[in-house]
Amino acid sequence: MTMPSPVSAPSRTLRILAWLSFLAETIIIGTGGAVRLTGSGLGCSEWPLCTPGSLVPTPELGIHGIIEFGNRTMTGVVGVLALAVLLLTLHLAGGRRAVSRSLWSALAAILVGIAGFVVAMPFDVPAFPVASAGLLLATIVAAVLSIRSVSQRADLAVLAWIVLVGVVAQGFVGGITVLTGLNPFIVGFHYASSLVLVCVTAAFLVRMGAAPGARERAVPRWYAITTHVTSLVLAVTIAFGVLTTGNGPHSGDADVVRTGFDATLLSHIHSWPGYLLFALVAVLVVAAWRLDLPTRGWATALLAVLVVQIGVGVWQANAALPPLLVGIHMVLAALSAAAFTALVLALKRPAR
């Protein structure tokens, strides 16, 4: 009988790049928030160019152009890190052949994007969205084919591909955001999808340090159910936070039309699930320490972040929403989501 090949451990380089990828995904939420909070959302009026004749901001655009272009540059950093993590993960999961297939797939995706651009130009339609959509579709197909071919650590391969596909999708959504004049619903979706990528990179870090293979529940059933209910409350809290910001004074540009909801009312509605979230996490922390559960570390970290988050939220509401506090609130939401992701993954352990 043929024995299965031993599972390779992630290299030190992969671990470092995975952490950098997580930090970059978190930082880009901060730079994206700076774009919105300084009214620089249309600092670059075009996409992918900054102006109709320049890739970089011109002196006439002033500080707003620099801030917006800085956020676009950060997108490139995030993409490079995501690609590097993916290639190292595929080498871990399937060796050189998996990496080679991925590179050929990447070349094919780029060619599909170029073809979409060339085909769209004669028909007087925005060529870049068509090219981006083609690139995104080709990347998804490449991801599916790649994941099916790996022999081990498919969990890490899936997470790494999700991040890269997400970065490509974020570029597409970012272009649509500019072309629609900062539609508040698209801006909100852009932020929410950035939060998802923070969670995925956090999940990659946790799974990278865990043993591969089947897993089993490591906590009581009621605790697992309470945790998943808490995840729903967290999602509702973030959703109302996005709606509140979309109707507040920081919409990215002075001429942007808000969604038409009452921002004051939304801020109160946003706080209700926020306080419920805090109460549920407090229950999880107390239970985890009393029962000596493996979730106690991440549950405690999440509770600490929520305490700071609530404090900043109350402070910013009473101080008429100063941009700096709103930006901190946005980044803390990302860290809360990341900590909660780690908490959920700690519900299970390697099967005995």
Side-chain angles (χ1 to χ4, degrees), residues 13-212:
T13 302
L14 175 56
R15 294 178 184 276
I16 292 174
L17 289 175
W19 271 105
L20 290 177
S21 180
F22 168 74
L23 292 174
E25 292 289 356
T26 305
I27 291 171
I28 200 171
I29 287 181
T31 60
V35 170
R36 185 167 191 168
L37 297 170
T38 59
S40 304
L42 295 178
C44 288
S45 60
E46 304 295 324
W47 182 273
L49 300 177
C50 184
T51 65
S54 175
L55 175 64
V56 299
T58 58
E60 293 77 15
L61 298 177
I63 187 64
H64 294 307
I66 295 175
I67 293 174
E68 164 64 7
F69 188 75
N71 186 54
R72 293 188 183 188
T73 304
M74 191 64 201
T75 302
V77 174
V78 168
V80 169
L81 288 171
L83 179 60
V85 169
L86 174 63
L87 293 178
L88 288 174
T89 301
L90 291 178
H91 187 270
L92 172 70
R96 293 183 179 180
R97 179 176 296 182
V99 175
S100 177
R101 288 176 179 175
S102 177
L103 291 174
W104 281 110
S105 298
L107 177 60
I110 293 173
L111 293 177
V112 169
I114 294 174
F117 188 88
V118 173
V119 170
M121 288 185 63
F123 296 96
D124 196 27
V125 297
F128 185 75
V130 175
S132 298
L135 177 62
L136 177 59
L137 179 61
T139 305
I140 293 174
V141 173
V144 173
L145 296 176
S146 172
I147 292 168
R148 293 177 62 183
S149 67
V150 298
S151 57
Q152 57 182 341
R153 293 317 308 251
D155 56 339
L156 295 182
V158 169
L159 293 172
W161 268 113
I162 290 175
V163 175
L164 184 62
V165 171
V167 171
V168 175
Q170 282 289 72
F172 175 69
V173 174
I176 298 299
T177 301
V178 174
L179 296 176
T180 57
L182 303 184
N183 180 287
F185 292 106
I186 297 179
V187 172
F189 175 78
H190 197 43
Y191 172 74
S193 53
S194 296
L195 280 181
V196 171
L197 291 181
V198 170
C199 292
V200 176
T201 53
F204 187 95
L205 289 172
V206 175
R207 291 295 299 147
M208 183 173 57

Side-chain angles (χ1 to χ4, degrees), residues 270-292:
H270 169 54
S271 67
W272 300 338
Y275 292 130
L276 177 59
L277 173 66
F278 175 79
L280 287 170
V281 173
V283 170
L284 294 177
V285 170
V286 173
W289 281 98
R290 286 182 62 87
L291 301 176
D292 194 25

